[in-house]
Amino acid sequence: MAVELINPDGLPKPEVYRQMSVATGSRLVFLAGQVARDADGNPVGPGDLAAQTEQAYLNIGTAMAAAGGSFDDVAKLTVHVVDWSPEKYPLLGEGVARAAAKMGVDPVKPITLLSVAALGEPDLLIEVEAIGVLD
């Protein structure tokens, strides 16, 4: 695998993400922000953060497969959530867990979580960008 996930000594050791990844592959994959749209562009999970999170993560898995890898090859995620608050954390976690179960992967990655006022379309609650590394 081209991506090693690490919580180095001297930094906090969160359970839900890793502080860094060390990538040794030769091909980088920069994925545009993925949202709750199916392959035909139809909205998925209107008003449901868990369902939208699941779809965004599944879309990342689909894109990584098209590049010859999988979600396991993701080295870094940036997650944008509309009007983030700690009360939304269980829904985010639920969506991530469902997507991980469907893909058969460990979703724990270095992640940056950002609260945003809005996304590109009014029905979107989350957008997830990914950087992957392939051998």
Side-chain angles (χ1 to χ4, degrees), residues 1-5 22-25 70 72-74 109 133-135:
M1 184 181 308
V3 178
E4 178 185 7
L5 302 172
V22 177
T24 57
S70 74
D72 285 329
D73 298 306
V74 171
K109 306 288 181 182
V133 180
L134 304 174
D135 286 322

Side-chain angles (χ1 to χ4, degrees), residues 37-103:
R37 297 286 186 263
D38 65 16
D40 295 322
N42 298 312
V44 174
D48 183 343
L49 180 59
Q52 289 197 16
T53 301
E54 178 183 2
Q55 186 63 47
Y57 271 65
L58 291 173
N59 288 349
I60 291 169
T62 298
M64 291 301 296
S70 74
F71 193 91
D72 285 329
D73 298 306
V74 171
K76 170 77 169 74
L77 296 168
T78 302
V79 178
H80 304 84
V81 180
V82 174
D83 297 324
W84 173 258
S85 67
E87 294 78 28
K88 294 182 179 181
Y89 191 71
L91 294 171
L92 179 67
E94 178 185 333
V96 170
R98 290 192 322 225
K102 285 183 179 178
M103 292 186 283

Side-chain angles (χ1 to χ4, degrees), residues 6-14 18-20:
I6 301 170
N7 270 331
D9 291 337
L11 293 178
K13 305 216 178 344
R18 295 297 173 263
Q19 293 286 6
M20 64 188 237

